[in-house]
Amino acid sequence: MKKLLRYWNQNKRKILITIAVIALIIIIIQIANNMVREQNKKNNNNQAERNIVANDITKPSNSVISDTKLTEKETKENSNFIEQFVSYCNQKKADEAYQLLTDDCKAELYPTKEIFVSNYINQIFGEQVNFELQLWHTVSNYYTYRITYNKGNLLQTGGQSSSSNFLDYITLVKQNGEYKLNINKFIRKETLNRQGSNSGIEVAIHSKSIYMDYEIYHMTVQNNTQKTILLNDGTSANNFSLMGTNNSTFSSDISELPLSRLTLDAQYKRTMDIKFNKVYMSASTPQVMQMTNVYLDKVQYDTKQEEPQKIIIKINL
């Protein structure tokens, strides 16, 4: 014990310095370890953010539905154009965003910029949104994408589905080197110019508007007879239908039209829009529009004094 005390008294200063150095080394090591951990955590967070952003603003080249694969140039140009549209909407640059829409899209859904702002920008871009893209379908110069507008912080949500997110299908149209967009599930409009007739009733189908979940046929019906006719009694959705390949049938939403719209006086012409439950990417192609239960005398139909005379009109598409 005396030896230890003597050693302590003789070397006290050296011992204290050694202890202090060791303690300092331990403290430095702990600080360094904490700094490394924090840097690694920061790097991981940055990498996660980069991964989310990379996944959020994607540039898809392969179609989800078909085996179609875009070229690198098509992929880049298409995605950049859509990103520009979203950027304009985020910045509330309504004039610029509105000019990116096709004329058909404007006529179908947004005839004025104010309607576009009210029904699209204000509904989706109340706050800044990011987006995710999937290439869904391509045909000719039309590229249909499924776009998910993600609201909120990507690091918090991870891009996961949320009730505040908005899903849409948009179609990029490329014509004569110019890009335009169809939005809100509107795919495109096609000119048809098809005619059919029976018993003095003429039907002309001018065009159809194709949406993701349905098609609307724009047509004119001319009653050349001397009696008031009834085009449909509304008893069945298949009274107006599309007959397609693979023995498929697409019913109409004829119940949306009042009987007054389906009634034509003698020598009268009426323009009509009929909606059919035809999904855009259905494997079947419509070949014939069929109108059954067309009554040639509405008075006879109303009074039911005798079996009312009715016909079928078919228009090849």
Side-chain angles (χ1 to χ4, degrees), residues 159-172:
Q160 297 299 313
S161 177
S162 166
S163 59
S164 63
N165 293 344
F166 186 88
L167 174 65
D168 192 11
Y169 289 89
I170 62 177
T171 298
L172 183 72

Side-chain angles (χ1 to χ4, degrees), residues 62-69 135-138:
N62 293 309
S63 171
V64 173
I65 303 302
S66 64
D67 294 329
T68 306
K69 182 175 176 61
L135 177 61
W136 214 247
H137 189 66
T138 65

Side-chain angles (χ1 to χ4, degrees), residues 193-205 217 219-221 231 238-244 247-249 276 286-294 310-317:
N193 292 328
R194 301 288 189 267
Q195 293 85 32
S197 63
N198 190 359
S199 302
I201 303 172
E202 298 179 359
V203 179
I205 303 176
Y217 283 70
M219 51 198 286
T220 299
V221 182
L231 294 175
N238 286 327
N239 285 349
F240 275 16
S241 60
L242 301 176
M243 318 302 292
N247 296 318
S248 58
T249 300
F276 293 89
Q287 295 179 315
V288 175
M289 179 187 290
Q290 181 168 283
M291 303 167 63
T292 61
N293 290 0
V294 178
K310 55 186 178 181
I311 61 170
I312 296 176
I313 301 176
K314 295 184 178 182
I315 305 98
N316 292 325
L317 301 173

